Amino acid sequence: GEDVEQSLFLSVREGDSSVINCTYTDSSSTYLYWYKQEPGAGLQLLTYIFSNMDMKQDQRLTVLLNKKDKHLSLRIADTQTGDSAIYFCAAISGYSTLTFGKGTMLLVSP
Amino acid sequence: AAGVIQSPRHLIKEKRETATLKCYPIPRHDTVYWYQQGPGQDPQFLISFYEKMQSDKGSIPDRFSAQQFSDYHSELNMSSLELGDSALYFCASSLEGDREDTDTQYFGPGTRLTVL
């Protein structure tokens, strides 16, 4: 089945760019997603990218997909303290189920 | 915009008791998914339903069952609760079709279940 891996922790200063990386194993994954989870809260869909795209930009968020290397990244420009959260990379596997990475904790310091 | 609604938001049960979690998908969404997130863990897929039929099954214990009703809401029934069932239970919904965001899952706020 699908296996999704992410780095566990990233610390940046306010105003810097953050880059969170993710790798996946199933080359047939059609959609890849980024979700944000604040402490004790639900999963907020941030953005997604279809597998036939290599880049998607949405305001401060840029998603890059390298399908050959099965590598996905999320870049947050001008990172703010409110961006501090856990970010999950997820890939579609099976019928339509999501397989999540372990999550990357992003800590933004003033 | 309307989101996925889950109830209750918090639930405390004793071991060996039963619990029922409810999920109301985004209006017009026809597919519901259940996930379990243990403390410090990533969400794990349990089960999904499309048009009231089970569409996929993940790591759902035999003590748990679920169904989707004619109004598309779903219930997760959990029996013989164990300490290890303490977790955040998420419901997500999506819409089948040809749109760009087909199968994109939108999550509810979760139900935090504590088993004592």
Side-chain angles (χ1 to χ4, degrees), chain B:
Chain B
V4 176
I5 297 171
Q6 292 188 245
S7 69
R9 294 293 309 279
H10 301 272
L11 191 56
I12 300 175
K13 290 286 184 180
E14 302 268 344
K15 277 195 319 184
R16 292 180 289 276
E17 285 192 321
T18 61
T20 298
L21 279 53
K22 296 186 179 183
C23 168
Y24 298 86
I26 291 171
R28 296 190 304 111
H29 279 196
D30 49 21
T31 307
V32 169
Y33 311 79
W34 286 97
Y35 291 83
Q36 178 192 57
Q37 186 181 30
Q41 302 295 312
D42 55 300
Q44 295 291 315
F45 170 70
L46 293 177
I47 196 166
S48 63
F49 293 87
Y50 166 64
E51 286 288 345
K52 293 151 277 181
M53 299 286 289
Q54 181 182 308
S55 53
D56 205 354
K57 192 172 180 180
S59 50
I60 184 168
D62 292 341
R63 299 177 288 109
F64 295 5
S65 65
Q67 56 182 325
Q68 185 180 30
F69 295 86
S70 56
D71 63 350
Y72 295 103
H73 96 271
S74 178
E75 294 184 2
L76 177 66
N77 298 294
M78 310 160 74
S79 63
S80 303
L81 286 168
E82 302 174 356
L83 296 178
D85 296 328
S86 295
L88 198 51
Y89 290 83
F90 287 110
C91 172
S93 72
S94 70
L95 179 63
E96 280 282 310
D98 298 327
R99 297 146 45 109
E100 184 196 82
D101 62 349
T102 290
D103 295 331
T104 296
Q105 295 179 30
Y106 296 86
F107 282 74
T111 293
R112 186 170 296 280
L113 172 67
T114 303
V115 181
L116 302 175

Side-chain angles (χ1 to χ4, degrees), chain A residues 48-66:
Chain A
Y48 60 89
I49 188 166
F50 190 48
S51 59
N52 69 353
M53 301 167 67
D54 51 22
M55 186 181 93
K56 181 177 181 180
Q57 188 150 3
D58 185 359
Q59 300 182 330
R60 293 191 297 123
L61 305 178
T62 303
V63 179
L64 295 178
L65 175 60
N66 181 328

Side-chain angles (χ1 to χ4, degrees), chain A residues 31-46:
Chain A
Y31 282 93
L32 297 134
Y33 301 85
W34 286 102
Y35 287 88
K36 175 184 178 183
Q37 186 175 36
E38 296 182 39
L43 291 160
Q44 176 193 352
L45 176 68
L46 285 179

